[in-house]
Amino acid sequence: MTEEFKVNGEDLVRKIKELIHEGNVRRISIRQDDKTMLEIPVTWAAVGAVIAPVFAAVGALAALVTECTIVVEKKDE
């Protein structure tokens, strides 16, 4: 099951954090137009030591994009 969210660069980090805290997310992809800019397996992000670099990468990407699409792959419930 997938969902898509269109966000601007300012809201990108906030939305990613929100999605990770939901807990039923398997993978998050950040796309601009048809190009995948970043793909995050959320099982990695769940590990505390890995989450800070993930947010740093998302923050750097947010500074570069004006609008993007977040594609969220969720676990079947």
Side-chain angles (χ1 to χ4, degrees), residues 2-75:
T2 60
E3 284 185 90
E4 291 189 12
F5 303 93
K6 290 206 183 283
V7 297
N8 60 31
E10 298 171 358
D11 296 329
L12 183 60
V13 174
R14 180 191 54 78
K15 187 64 176 176
I16 297 293
K17 285 181 181 181
E18 191 178 291
L19 290 166
I20 288 173
H21 288 294
E22 281 183 16
N24 63 341
V25 176
R26 180 176 292 161
R27 177 180 305 275
I28 297 173
S29 300
I30 301 170
R31 297 183 181 160
Q32 189 173 27
D33 301 319
D34 290 334
K35 183 178 178 184
T36 300
M37 306 294 285
L38 182 65
E39 219 172 287
I40 307 165
V42 176
T43 52
W44 284 6
V47 178
V50 177
I51 202 160
V54 167
F55 287 135
V58 172
L61 183 61
L64 299 174
V65 298
T66 54
E67 185 174 303
C68 60
T69 302
I70 301 172
V71 180
V72 180
E73 181 183 321
K74 293 192 172 193
K75 298 175 186 175

